[in-house]
Amino acid sequence: MFEENKTANNAAESTFEADSNTNDEKTQENLLVENDYLDCSTQGRIATLKKNLQAVYQKMEKFNEEVKFNIEKLKNQSSFDRDSVFADEILQAAAFAKIFDVNAFLDFKSDIQRQIIEKKIEKFVQEWQSAVKEKIGEIEERRRNLATQRIGIESKINSLKLFAADDVLNKLNPISGYSVSERGVEKIVGERLVEVCAEPIAIKGVLQNYEDDTIKLILSHMRQGKWKDIPAQPAEVISSRRDLVKLSAYGFPIADHNSLLAVEYLYKFKSAHLDKLPFAYTVPNCGWRKMFGQEFFIDPRRNCEILDDDGNTKKIIVDENNILVKSLKSVGTLAEWKKAYEIAKKSVIARITVAASVAPPLLELVGERNFVLYIHGKTKGGKTLSQSLGASAVGNEDLIITFDGTNNGLLAMAAETTDYPLFIDEKQASDKPLKEQFQRFIYSVGNGKGRSRANKDGSFKGIRKWKNITICNGETPLLDDNATGGSYTRLLQIHAPKTILSAGDCKTIRDIIKENYGVAFTIFLEEVLKYGKENLNKLFQDHCEAFQSWFTDTLSEYSRYLAVLTLADYFLNVALGENALKASADAIKTAKAFAAYFPTIEEVADAPREKDFVTDFIAQNQRCFVGATPLEIEQLPSIYGKFENNFIYVSVPVLKTACKNAGFDSQKVVADLVEDGFFVPDDKIPKGRKKPYPYVQKKIGTKMNCYRIPKEKISDD
C-alpha cells in the first residue's frame, strides 16, 4: 500500500497523469498543474500545486481503502466453482492480494486447488493466474500513476520553494523529471530518486562576449540556504564531465561518480530556460565603448543597457576577471565622503589630485592625450593621503599600486585602467631604480599604447591602447637631467610644498575614507554626460585659450592638461551640490594657484640641461685638457681635449662615451647644442653636404675630431 507519510521519499517518472478512468478528468488536472499556475506568483503556483496534491492524496486514500476491501473480499469468498473464481471482482481481489497481501493470495490459491474438481487442475490454476496477472498490470498502472503524480507535484513544490530564494530562479519553472530539495538535485527514475548532486544547482545567466561572440554561463549552487554564484564559465563546461568536475574547486557539488547525471540535468536546464535566463553582453574593460552604433561609458556601478541590432534592450557588463572591476566598489555615503573632500579643498595640491582622479573620462570627450601628474616632496607632507583621497573618489585603495614592478607590468595596468586614473605610489619603492625605465614609462603611458604583440602562432595580436591620467608621487623628481623634453610634455611634475595637509587633517580624512569611498565618481560622470559632448568641447577650448594666454612661460601642453583638471574640478563640485557659478570661480582660482608650480619652458627644455652637463663634464675633468693645466701633454692621465685661445675643444669619442654613461643621447645633445650655438661647427662645408660637420679637426698630440665651444659660452652660462 501507499505509505501514510505523504512526503516524497520515493519517486516515479514525472508525467502528472491522473489515475482517473476518464480522460476529461486527467486533462483537467494536467492543465492545472502545467499551465494555470505559471502566470501566478510563486506562492500562488505553490498553492495551486498543493490543491492538486491534496486531490492526489484523496485518491491514494481511496485506493488504500480499495486494497483493504478487495483483500477482505478474497478472504471471505466461499464459492469455488469456475464461474466464481473467474468472476471479474474475484480476479481483481486476487490481484490486489497478490500485490499487497501475498499470504491471502496463496491461501485462496490453495483453496482453489483443493475445492475445484477439474481433471487438469494445474492447467486451470495457470489460466486463473494469467487472468489475475492482467488485473495486476491494471492495478500497478493505477498505483504508478498516483505515485507519479504525487512525487512530481511534491518535487515541483520543493523546487519552487528553493527557486524562490533567488530573484532570477524565482521566474523559472522546475525541470520535469527532477526533484530539487534540501537534499540536492535528484532524478526521478521509476518510483525512486537517484542523486544527481548533494546540493541544488542551477544556471542563472548567460554572458556573450561582444568581441568574439563566445558564451559563458553563470552557475550557482545552494549552500546553507543561500544560492551562491561561481565565476562565469564557458558554455561548453556543462557538456563535459571532466570540466564540470573541475568546478569543485569553487565548491560546486560535482564529483566523478555523479558528473554524467549532472551534465544531463544542466543540459536540460539550459534547453528549457535559455531564452528566459538573464542575458548580458560582456566587454573586457570599463570605460568608453562603442557598440551597435552607440557610445557609452561602462562602470560596474552604473546600469548600462543598449539596443541591439534587433531593437532589443541588452545589458552590458565588464568581464569579472578585469582587475579594475574589483576595485570599483561604492561603500558608505556621499555626504560622509564630502566631509573629507571639503577638508582637502583647502590645499591646492590635494584638490587638484582629486580632480585628476575623476578626470580621465574627459580625455576621450575633448580629444586630449594622456598625461602624468607627479607630485614630489618631503615625506609626511600629505602626498600619499591626497592620492588616497583621489582614489577614494573612484573606488577603494586597491586602485593604488607602486613603482615596484617592470615597465611592461606598469603599462599593462595602464591598459587595464583605460578611462580611469592609474595611481602609482612611492617611486623610490622600485627595486629597479633605473632612470631610463621611468623615462620609457612616461613616454609609453603618455602615448597611450603598448608594443605590437603576436600570438603563439606568430599572427598579429594587436596593440593595447588606453586613455588615462597617471597620478603618482615620490620624494624625488621622476625624471633626471638626462630626460628629454618630450618626457616633460607628457608630465606635470610638481614640487609640492613641505606640507600639503596638516597631520590632523590627514588623520581626519583617512578615518573618513576608510568607511566611505567610490561614491563620487559616478555622480561626477552623470554630470559630465548631462552637459553634453559638444558643449564640453567648447568649454574645454575656451579654457585652453585662456590658460595659454595667462601662462606664457610654460609649455602649451600644460595649459591643455590644466584645462582638463579645471573642468573635472568644476563638474565634481557641481555634482556635489555646489552652485555652478561658485564652482566655476573656485575651479579657475585653483587652476591659477596650481599653475604657479609648473616648471618654465626653459627649465624643461633640453638644450639648457645638455649645456649644463657638458659644462660640468669639462669642469670636473680639466686635468685631462691640454692648456687647462700646467702639466705637459705627456703628463696628462688621459687626453679629453684642449683649451686654446678663445675655444675649448672636446674630443668627440670622449664626449660620446660621457653622454652614454650619463644616460644622454649623444646625437641629440650634439644636434641641440649646434642649433643653440653652444657648439661651433666646422668653418667649411664639405663637397656633397649641405652643412658643415658639427666637429672640427684639432691637433692635440695627434689629429682628433673635437667639438668646439667658445669660452664665453662657458663663462656666460
Side-chain angles (χ1 to χ4, degrees):
M1 292 187 186
F2 286 98
E3 299 175 10
E4 293 299 323
N5 181 0
K6 298 174 183 177
T7 58
N9 294 325
N10 296 306
E13 197 66 30
S14 182
T15 61
F16 287 98
E17 293 179 359
D19 74 327
S20 170
N21 292 327
T22 63
N23 291 330
D24 290 341
E25 183 180 352
K26 182 184 296 186
T27 302
Q28 183 178 5
E29 187 163 296
N30 279 341
L31 287 174
L32 278 172
V33 174
E34 296 289 352
N35 294 322
D36 288 358
Y37 78 91
L38 296 179
D39 296 327
C40 303
S41 65
T42 299
Q43 293 304 319
R45 295 159 72 184
I46 292 175
T48 301
L49 286 168
K50 284 184 175 180
K51 290 180 181 179
N52 293 333
L53 185 60
Q54 188 60 39
V56 174
Y57 285 155
Q58 291 173 357
K59 292 176 182 179
M60 291 165 59
E61 289 175 1
K62 290 180 180 179
F63 184 88
N64 289 335
E65 292 174 1
E66 189 177 353
V67 171
K68 294 176 182 178
F69 172 81
N70 279 279
I71 292 174
E72 288 300 316
K73 183 180 181 66
L74 191 68
K75 289 180 178 180
N76 297 327
Q77 177 67 19
S78 59
S79 177
F80 288 92
D81 56 67
R82 174 178 283 273
D83 291 339
S84 296
V85 296
F86 273 94
D88 190 69
E89 63 271 17
I90 296 302
L91 291 175
Q92 180 169 285
F96 274 109
K98 179 70 180 293
I99 299 170
F100 299 106
D101 191 344
V102 68
N103 289 330
F105 173 80
L106 293 175
D107 289 345
F108 189 78
K109 178 181 174 183
S110 297
D111 289 341
I112 292 176
Q113 291 172 329
R114 286 195 311 270
Q115 299 187 37
I116 291 183
I117 302 172
E118 288 281 347
K119 290 182 180 180
K120 297 181 180 180
I121 186 64
E122 291 182 3
K123 183 177 180 181
F124 177 87
V125 172
Q126 288 177 355
E127 291 176 358
W128 178 79
Q129 288 188 123
S130 295
V132 171
K133 188 175 181 180
E134 292 181 7
K135 292 294 183 181
I136 289 174
E138 296 174 4
I139 295 170
E140 287 284 17
E141 179 67 17
R142 289 174 58 196
R143 186 175 70 85
R144 281 194 297 269
N145 284 341
L146 286 172
T148 297
Q149 290 180 63
R150 184 195 68 171
I151 198 66
I153 296 174
E154 287 181 340
S155 296
K156 283 206 169 186
I157 292 173
N158 291 334
S159 300
L160 287 171
K161 286 179 179 178
L162 291 184
F163 284 8
D166 184 271
D167 290 340
V168 171
L169 298 176
N170 189 33
K171 301 173 184 176
L172 305 181
N173 301 322
I175 302 298
S176 181
Y178 289 88
S179 174
V180 183
S181 67
E182 291 82 358
R183 295 190 302 272
V185 179
E186 297 166 299
K187 184 178 181 181
I188 302 171
V189 180
E191 294 183 61
R192 63 191 182 94
L193 294 176
V194 177
E195 182 182 271
V196 175
C197 53
E199 295 174 0
I201 60 174
I203 303 172
K204 285 180 53 181
V206 180
L207 305 177
Q208 180 175 331
N209 187 300
Y210 178 75
E211 296 183 351
D212 61 17
D213 291 331
T214 55
I215 299 292
K216 286 187 175 183
L217 300 175
I218 299 174
L219 302 175
S220 187
H221 63 110
M222 177 173 275
R223 178 159 294 179
Q224 296 179 343
K226 293 183 179 180
W227 287 97
K228 177 179 175 60
D229 297 348
I230 67 171
Q233 301 295 319
E236 60 268 23
V237 164
I238 69 167
S239 301
S240 166
R241 296 176 61 181
R242 179 179 298 177
D243 291 341
L244 204 56
V245 170
K246 291 179 181 178
L247 300 186
S248 61
Y250 298 105
F252 215 58
I254 306 297
D256 286 334
H257 73 277
N258 65 343
S259 57
L260 182 59
L261 289 173
V263 165
E264 180 185 15
Y265 172 72
L266 289 173
Y267 174 79
K268 290 182 178 179
F269 194 103
K270 176 187 173 184
S271 300
H273 298 137
L274 187 60
D275 59 341
K276 304 180 187 71
L277 290 169
F279 175 92
Y281 284 104
T282 62
V283 292
N285 295 99
C286 303
W288 291 107
R289 297 288 301 191
K290 290 183 178 179
M291 296 172 62
F292 301 112
Q294 303 158 70
E295 185 176 19
F296 49 89
F297 194 95
I298 300 178
D299 183 283
R301 295 160 294 192
R302 300 179 73 227
N303 182 30
C304 187
E305 295 181 337
I306 62 169
L307 292 177
D308 64 14
D309 292 335
D310 297 324
N312 300 315
T313 301
K314 300 296 184 182
K315 191 174 183 180
I316 309 295
I317 62 174
V318 181
D319 191 297
E320 61 185 3
N321 293 321
N322 181 272
I323 297 174
L324 185 61
V325 170
K326 301 172 184 177
S327 300
L328 298 180
K329 308 294 184 183
S330 294
V331 174
T333 66
L334 183 64
E336 284 298 309
W337 182 87
K338 186 178 176 182
K339 291 178 182 178
Y341 178 59
E342 291 295 334
I343 296 172
K345 282 169 64 175
K346 296 182 295 184
S347 164
V348 170
I349 299 294
R351 180 168 180 160
I352 285 292
T353 301
V354 176
S357 301
V358 298
L362 297 175
L363 297 178
E364 180 70 25
L365 293 174
V366 301
E368 189 52 62
R369 73 179 183 181
N370 303 344
F371 64 93
V372 178
L373 174 63
Y374 179 70
I375 311 294
H376 68 96
K378 297 293 183 181
T379 186
K380 295 184 179 179
K383 303 185 304 297
T384 298
L385 191 279
S386 299
Q387 189 182 63
S388 295
L389 178 61
S392 75
V394 182
N396 62 34
E397 282 209 347
D398 290 342
L399 289 168
I400 303 175
I401 63 174
T402 73
F403 269 104
D404 188 13
T406 65
N407 197 59
N408 286 340
L410 294 174
L411 295 180
M413 282 300 301
E416 290 289 337
T417 58
T418 185
D419 298 316
Y420 284 83
L422 173 61
F423 295 98
I424 308 177
D425 187 30
E426 298 298 337
K427 177 187 79 70
Q428 64 273 14
S430 172
D431 60 359
K432 297 181 180 179
L434 301 176
K435 298 173 183 178
E436 296 86 355
Q437 177 186 350
F438 301 128
Q439 186 168 345
R440 290 198 306 271
F441 172 74
I442 297 302
Y443 261 101
S444 299
V445 79
N447 287 336
K449 61 182 180 180
R451 295 179 178 179
S452 300
R453 298 178 299 162
N455 294 305
K456 291 182 179 180
D457 61 1
S459 60
F460 181 61
K461 189 173 184 178
I463 300 174
R464 299 188 75 175
K465 298 181 180 180
W466 57 85
K467 275 276 189 182
N468 54 21
I469 297 173
T470 302
I471 304 167
C472 45
N473 68 66
E475 296 181 10
T476 58
L478 185 61
L479 300 179
D480 235 332
D481 288 341
N482 59 359
T484 60
S487 299
Y488 285 95
T489 63
R490 296 162 172 82
L491 171 70
L492 273 177
Q493 182 166 264
I494 305 299
H495 186 193
K498 184 177 180 180
T499 301
I500 297 174
L501 291 165
S502 70
D505 285 344
C506 286
K507 183 180 185 308
T508 302
I509 292 171
R510 187 177 293 107
D511 289 343
I512 292 174
I513 63 177
K514 279 182 180 178
E515 306 295 333
N516 302 273
Y517 52 83
V519 290
F521 183 79
T522 52
I523 64 164
F524 160 82
L525 184 62
E526 297 302 334
E527 197 66 37
V528 170
L529 297 177
K530 183 170 65 177
Y531 196 78
K533 186 174 181 178
E534 186 175 341
N535 293 332
L536 187 68
N537 270 276
K538 185 178 185 308
L539 189 61
F540 173 70
Q541 293 302 329
D542 290 344
H543 279 73
C544 288
E545 292 173 7
F547 291 162
Q548 286 172 6
S549 66
W550 294 348
F551 312 125
T552 56
D553 62 341
T554 62
L555 295 174
S556 60
E557 287 87 354
Y558 290 1
S559 293
R560 297 181 66 83
Y561 302 154
L562 187 59
V564 171
L565 299 177
T566 303
L567 292 184
D569 184 272
Y570 166 76
F571 283 112
L572 175 60
N573 282 279
V574 170
L576 291 172
E578 193 167 291
N579 174 272
L581 289 176
K582 184 178 186 306
S584 177
D586 288 349
I588 295 295
K589 181 180 177 181
T590 301
K592 289 180 177 179
F594 188 63
Y597 293 101
F598 290 175
T600 64
I601 292 176
E602 185 175 352
E603 289 173 328
V604 300
D606 292 336
R609 289 181 288 109
E610 292 165 346
K611 284 192 290 183
D612 288 343
F613 164 70
V614 174
T615 300
D616 290 343
F617 173 77
I618 294 171
Q620 293 169 10
N621 295 280
Q622 282 195 31
R623 59 192 177 88
C624 296
F625 283 82
V626 176
T629 173
L631 298 176
E632 297 295 330
I633 189 171
E634 294 83 4
Q635 298 174 306
L636 298 181
S638 298
I639 299 175
Y640 285 3
K642 186 176 184 179
F643 281 48
E644 184 178 87
N645 299 326
N646 296 322
F647 293 98
I648 299 173
Y649 298 89
V650 183
S651 167
V652 169
V654 167
L655 187 60
K656 183 177 181 180
T657 300
C659 287
K660 181 179 179 181
N661 292 337
F664 282 93
D665 183 336
S666 60
Q667 288 185 328
K668 187 177 186 307
V669 168
V670 172
D672 289 345
L673 296 187
V674 168
E675 183 179 357
D676 183 78
F678 189 73
F679 285 174
V680 178
D682 198 355
D683 298 325
K684 299 178 181 179
I685 300 177
K687 186 176 181 180
R689 287 179 60 91
K690 295 182 179 180
K691 56 183 179 180
Y693 289 113
Y695 52 81
V696 297
Q697 278 199 339
K698 189 67 179 174
K699 186 175 181 180
I700 310 176
T702 60
K703 285 186 178 182
M704 61 175 63
N705 294 330
C706 297
Y707 297 116
R708 181 169 55 175
I709 307 171
K711 285 185 178 179
E712 67 268 15
K713 291 287 185 180
I714 298 290
S715 59
D716 288 346
D717 291 309

